[in-house]
Structures are given as structure tokens and as C-alpha cells.
Amino acid sequence: FYLYYGNMGSSNQQCPEKTWDSHYLSVWHMDDATDSTIEDSTFNKYKGTKIASDEPAEIYGEVGKSQDFDGTNDHIDFTNPVIPIGSKTISFWLKIDATAGDYWFLVNGDIHSNLLSGTGFYTYTPNKLGILIGNGAEQDYFMKLRGTDAVDIPDATNYHYYYASYDGTTLKLAIDAGTPKTTTIKTGTEAQPSNNLIFGRCIDTYPYPLNGQLDEIRISDICRDSNWITTEYNNMNNPNMFLSFGPEEP
């Protein structure tokens, strides 16, 4: 890439939407558009609306700004389920404020004792993070990675990068672009999401609100491969090591 600058007469030619290929359904950088909304950087423009002004609050995160959920009532609502059925990749940076309890934080389906439909990410004691994909049957799932198949949350000090992907056969879940936990076990068929997407809690009488921060959430309608995931992680985790800059030319 070459960067040209210094021409004060040049018009603004930026087009952030073209940063993302057509398989990105949404990319939220998690900075405030207003104190009550966040914006999607793709052409789909899935805007999120907070429960109230600065609930959650914008703070500095892993990649620029993030949203800080207070563990009481903060959440962000959308008017579309966004997460597709079938092939998908979902990635995000998460920092837990304390020892991980029962927090649901990225969900688009009904939850009673279990996830009945749609996709949901959650944390639970002892410091685990899992994913459930519903099949419409109470206390059962289309696919799941939980218990010993969940990933560890290493600490309450740092942001960590998590991703889940599904290619039609295998569901994967990993932290910091490491070796993923996997499953191919299915029960029934994947149910259509029953609700619109929500960040920071689940859709239930008992919301299990997140006490922590979310940053840079990305959703695709394809299964991204391991090289893609590793590149995204390295680019965001340590951009100074990922990029190199040549000397300025006259």
C-alpha cells in the first residue's frame, strides 16, 4: 500500500463500507455513534440502541473504544437477528470485570433453562465461555460447546479475542486464535432465530447481564478459515508488529 498526503485540495475519498467483503453481515467497532447508539461499519447498517444514554458506557478498549456493561441492566438492542442460520463466523474481544459468573452477552434466541432457538454466547463459573445453537426443543440444542468443550477465560485483567465458526459440519470455538474446541454432534436441525440480536444480556425473565466490556464484534455468513482468524487476531492484538512502514519518499 502507498499513502499519499499533503494535497489540501483533495476531496474526501474514504469509503469505510468497502473495507469489508460481501460476507461480512456486520462489524461494530463499539464506539459511540451517539451516547445512545452504536453503528455497523458494513453496508447493512445494523444500528444498535442502548437501553439508556451511556448504558453501557463508551470506554477505551482493545481496538479503539469499547462498551462497558455494568452487570446490572446495560444492554444494546437491534432490530434484526443478524446472526444467520447455516455457515457463520462470529468474533469479538471480551474482558470480564470479575471472575466469570453466568453472563449472556451476544444472543438472538429465546432462553429459558436452555437456548431454544438462535445462537447465544455465555460465560459461567468456573471461568468458562461457551456457545449454544438452538433447535427449537427445550433443554436441547442443535450444537453446543460447553462444559469441558468450552474455552477458558484466563483472567479478569485483559481483553481476549474469541471466535466461533460453523461450516455446515463442524462448530469451532477458540480464544486468541489458538487451537479451537470442536464438535460435529448435532441434534435435530438448526432453528431460526426467534428474537433480534442483543448485546449484554439474554432475552428472558432472568437476563444474566454482562459485567465486562465488549469490543470489535464481527459477524460473517461464511466460515472463515484459520489463516483469516489468525490474521485478524494479529492485526488487532499487536498492529505495530503486524505492519511495517517504509521510509517517506519525495
Side-chain angles (χ1 to χ4, degrees):
F1 294 97
Y2 283 86
L3 175 66
Y4 296 96
Y5 56 92
N7 182 358
M8 299 302 292
S10 177
S11 61
N12 183 357
Q13 299 175 47
Q14 68 177 353
C15 185
E17 295 88 350
K18 290 186 178 179
T19 303
W20 314 107
D21 69 31
S22 61
H23 291 291
Y24 276 107
L25 300 180
S26 54
V27 175
W28 295 280
H29 299 311
M30 301 303 281
D31 53 332
D32 281 351
T34 70
D35 59 11
S36 299
T37 60
I38 62 170
E39 293 288 353
D40 170 18
S41 290
T42 72
F43 276 115
N44 292 316
K45 298 298 183 186
Y46 291 126
K47 181 172 75 174
T49 302
K50 302 181 185 185
I51 184 63
S53 176
D54 293 323
E55 294 188 40
E58 180 190 74
I59 63 170
Y60 283 98
E62 177 68 21
V63 187
K65 302 294 182 64
S66 69
Q67 296 292 323
D68 184 19
F69 297 80
D70 65 9
T72 301
N73 65 343
D74 289 355
H75 61 275
I76 300 175
D77 297 322
F78 296 85
T79 59
N80 189 289
V82 186
I83 302 172
I85 63 169
S87 296
K88 59 180 75 66
T89 303
I90 304 159
S91 65
F92 51 88
W93 291 85
L94 173 68
K95 176 181 175 291
I96 297 297
D97 278 343
T99 301
D102 294 331
Y103 304 144
W104 287 86
F105 58 89
L106 202 164
V107 184
N108 71 348
D110 285 326
I111 299 167
H112 296 287
S113 57
N114 289 306
L115 189 74
L116 302 185
S117 60
T119 299
F121 290 87
Y122 70 113
T123 69
Y124 58 96
T125 305
N127 294 317
K128 294 283 189 178
L129 184 144
I131 179 174
L132 307 175
I133 301 177
N135 63 9
E138 179 116 18
Q139 298 192 20
D140 210 344
Y141 311 96
F142 171 62
M143 299 188 83
K144 61 181 181 286
L145 285 166
R146 65 172 186 172
T148 58
D149 295 323
V151 297
D152 293 324
I153 299 172
D155 55 68
T157 306
N158 301 299
Y159 283 87
H160 292 279
Y161 174 80
Y162 299 87
Y163 89 91
S165 66
Y166 174 59
D167 63 2
T169 301
T170 303
L171 177 64
K172 299 179 180 180
L173 179 65
I175 178 174
D176 294 338
T179 301
K181 299 293 186 75
T182 66
T183 184
T184 57
I185 299 172
K186 299 178 182 178
T187 301
T189 58
E190 184 176 4
Q192 289 282 352
S194 58
N195 293 87
N196 294 326
L197 184 64
I198 187 169
F199 294 162
R201 57 164 285 175
C202 68
I203 304 145
D204 194 46
T205 304
Y206 304 101
Y208 302 106
L210 173 65
N211 185 12
Q213 292 97 52
L214 280 170
D215 197 2
E216 197 64 24
I217 300 172
R218 302 178 180 182
I219 299 174
S220 300
D221 64 1
I222 59 172
C223 178
R224 304 286 184 182
D225 64 27
S226 59
N227 291 328
W228 188 285
I229 294 297
T230 299
T231 299
E232 283 204 338
Y233 170 69
N234 289 334
N235 182 23
M236 291 184 282
N237 183 56
N238 193 342
N240 290 330
M241 293 295 292
F242 181 78
L243 299 170
S244 62
F245 299 90
E248 186 179 47
E249 297 179 358

